[in-house]
Amino acid sequence: GPPLDQFEGYASEVGIDQDQFRQCIRSDKYQDVVSASRLLGDQLCVNATPTLILNGKRVRGEIGLDIGALRQVINAELGVGA
């Protein structure tokens, strides 16, 4: 079905108040924030989540959740040894 219906189904499965959730997810209250974030993501060529940008540079996707590799990238940006 439509994505909003799917999210409402997930919410129901975990016990979230259906009426409150439906009002929230169908509201445009945060549309400006979401649109601005989407535009920024487009400008930065973000095409997947999660995407990590460090000091204006995209961190290679293959680093993933490898904390040691991420630490090396951060240390390199800071100019310190591993």
Side-chain angles (χ1 to χ4, degrees):
L4 291 181
D5 292 344
Q6 289 179 321
F7 289 129
E8 289 174 6
Y10 299 148
S12 176
E13 289 176 19
V14 296
I16 294 175
D17 179 282
Q18 286 292 276
D19 291 330
Q20 191 175 13
F21 184 80
R22 188 174 294 111
Q23 279 181 344
C24 177
I25 200 164
R26 294 182 184 275
S27 166
D28 288 337
K29 183 175 181 178
Y30 297 103
Q31 184 61 48
D32 291 344
V33 174
V34 171
S35 293
S37 294
R38 173 68 189 256
L39 180 59
L40 178 59
D42 290 345
Q43 291 169 345
L44 295 172
C45 299
V46 171
N47 57 10
T49 56
T51 296
L52 178 61
I53 298 175
L54 181 64
N55 277 351
K57 300 175 193 168
R58 180 189 229 136
V59 176
R60 292 187 333 270
E62 58 268 17
I63 287 178
L65 296 177
D66 182 340
I67 299 302
L70 184 57
R71 183 175 286 121
Q72 288 178 342
V73 170
I74 292 170
N75 285 338
E77 285 297 315
L78 292 172
V80 297

